[in-house]
Amino acid sequence: MNALHLWLRHETRTTERRTPVVPADARRLVESGVTLTVEESPQRVFPIEAYEEAGCRVAGTGSWVSAPSDAVVLGLKELPDEPAALTHRHIFFGHAYKQQPGAETLLRRFLAGGGTLLDLEYLVDDDGRRLAAFGYWAGYLGAALAVLHHRGRLRTPLRPTSKEELDAELAGDGGQLKALVIGALGRSGRGARVALEAAGIEPTCWDLAETRDLDRHALLEHELMVNTVLTTSPVPPFLTDKDLDEPGRRLRTLCDVTCDVGSPMNVLPVYDTTTDWTEPVRRLRERPALDLIAIDNLPSLLPLEASVDFSAALLPMLLEFETGGAWGRGLDRFRQACREIGAREGEFRDA
């Protein structure tokens, strides 16, 4: 078997500053025999020189399209719209397996070129637990932004920061704010609870037991809510438009960390587009006011901390690439998604 050639691509989204592999872990990959090519990227939190010092090759921004056919292209967020046919194996968060908008278009690009998507969201162990995730930092930042907005202290446009700086902004002023975290026992929920604790807030915590027969009236009694639930099959929504118009609603700030907008798995079908760093808050109701935060790359606001944690979790998987296990499950899930849009078995490339 040929040695693994990883190609770390530049992220086209201008607010994406994270990386799935930090320089220290890049060095470990190179020392283990992996060829690692890193594209130049002015926004990546680590400079290209740090990768060069780790023994990586350097390539131009966006040059993955002409990378050797055996290279595995590694990234985080969405690919550019071109090329129309994707020929490589790609590792990134594709958001294409739950009928999200644009999902079929992306899958057909892979089918057209014979490429393969190994979605990081579906890199899981034998029990279905994700092996590398940004969930903790997504929950932490979602809750932090919600608190700062609720207190009238959120500065826009958003900019990358550090945990120390953000903790200092959150400190004090806890008051009697009544906050709710849904999915409180998961990675994202844990991060949300830590941020609320830093803000002096002790939240109500709901998880599976409380959402099986969700009490919407009790939910609406909270002033601030952070949703961190990620579902893989449709469930009854936590809130609907009708609920937002209920008399006596106390809910004023809603943060959806999950951002499954447009998917049948969306537990908060009360909005149709995400928010962003420039305009992080959208008004959903005027009387009484209800504001939404739904940013789908929250951890990029803490790019250093988030990248270091994610890279450490992903490294063992990359060192074991092509040995089956989690990667084999990821390939199976890609093929299942392709079959769901009508692809035939013969259209799949052997990964």
Side-chain angles (χ1 to χ4, degrees):
M1 182 181 294
N2 294 331
L4 175 62
H5 184 181
L6 281 176
W7 193 286
L8 181 60
R9 63 176 170 86
H10 159 77
E11 299 289 337
T12 57
R13 189 187 296 207
T14 57
T15 58
E16 189 50 73
R17 303 190 68 235
R18 293 171 294 175
T19 177
V21 177
V22 303
D25 292 331
R27 183 182 298 278
R28 292 187 59 186
L29 287 166
V30 171
E31 290 174 348
S32 74
V34 174
T35 298
L36 181 50
T37 300
V38 181
E39 292 186 2
E40 295 173 321
S41 178
Q43 67 206 41
R44 189 185 293 127
V45 65
F46 294 97
I48 194 66
E49 292 79 10
Y51 290 96
E52 285 186 283
E53 293 172 3
C56 302
R57 301 177 182 180
V58 174
T61 300
S63 56
W64 62 265
V65 296
S66 56
S69 60
D70 65 343
V72 180
V73 182
L74 175 61
L76 288 176
K77 300 301 286 186
E78 64 275 355
L79 295 171
D81 293 337
E82 296 293 335
L86 297 169
T87 61
H88 294 90
R89 289 171 291 178
H90 282 259
I91 302 172
F92 70 107
F93 290 103
H95 303 299
Y97 297 166
K98 294 191 287 187
Q99 303 174 43
Q100 298 99 321
E104 183 171 345
T105 299
L106 176 62
L107 292 172
R108 293 202 178 280
R109 290 174 67 189
F110 280 104
L111 290 170
T116 302
L117 169 61
L118 298 170
D119 196 306
L120 286 165
E121 186 176 332
Y122 293 83
L123 184 64
V124 298
D125 64 15
D126 292 335
D127 298 320
R129 181 175 173 80
R130 288 173 61 179
L131 294 168
F134 287 102
Y136 175 88
W137 293 110
Y140 174 87
L141 281 154
L145 297 185
V147 169
L148 291 174
H149 173 67
H150 198 87
R151 293 174 175 172
R153 303 215 312 254
L154 185 64
R155 295 190 296 271
T156 59
L158 302 178
R159 61 175 182 83
T161 184
S162 68
K163 184 176 183 297
E164 292 74 17
E165 185 178 348
L166 195 50
D167 279 347
E169 291 185 60
L170 290 171
D173 270 351
Q176 298 301 311
L177 176 61
K178 192 174 182 182
L180 169 66
V181 177
I182 302 186
L185 299 183
R187 284 191 185 100
S188 293
R190 188 168 68 253
R193 288 187 283 119
V194 168
L196 292 170
E197 180 182 350
I201 299 167
E202 185 174 347
T204 304
C205 296
W206 289 1
D207 208 83
L208 287 174
E210 293 81 6
T211 55
R212 285 194 184 97
D213 187 17
L214 187 140
D215 185 339
R216 289 186 177 82
H217 177 75
L219 186 158
L220 295 168
E221 281 291 304
H222 293 84
E223 299 164 85
L224 182 150
M225 171 186 151
V226 183
N227 172 56
T228 69
V229 172
L230 183 69
T231 63
T232 56
S233 58
V235 298
F238 296 164
L239 284 175
T240 65
D241 281 322
K242 181 181 178 181
D243 297 320
L244 302 190
D245 295 322
E246 282 292 313
R249 166 179 54 80
R250 295 187 65 195
L251 187 63
R252 297 292 183 271
T253 303
L254 170 62
C255 179
D256 186 11
V257 172
T258 306
C259 293
D260 256 343
V261 60
S263 164
M265 286 66 164
N266 185 12
V267 297
L268 291 175
V270 295
Y271 68 101
D272 56 8
T273 55
T274 56
T275 63
D276 56 35
W277 289 24
T278 302
E279 297 182 3
V281 181
R282 178 177 304 132
R283 179 63 52 91
L284 294 181
R285 292 292 187 275
E286 289 291 345
R287 295 186 179 85
L290 173 59
D291 291 331
L292 168 76
I293 297 173
I295 299 170
D296 66 358
N297 68 332
L298 282 167
S300 196
L301 289 163
L302 288 176
L304 180 62
E305 295 91 339
S307 296
V308 168
D309 284 358
F310 187 87
S311 180
L314 183 62
L315 177 64
M317 302 299 104
L318 294 175
L319 290 171
E320 298 172 0
F321 189 75
E322 294 188 311
T323 60
W327 296 111
R329 286 187 286 271
L331 178 60
D332 289 343
R333 187 62 186 87
F334 167 71
R335 289 173 168 167
Q336 177 186 334
C338 290
R339 286 192 293 270
E340 289 168 358
I341 62 170
R344 297 181 299 277
E345 201 68 32
E347 295 182 69
F348 303 135
R349 161 185 168 174
D350 290 331

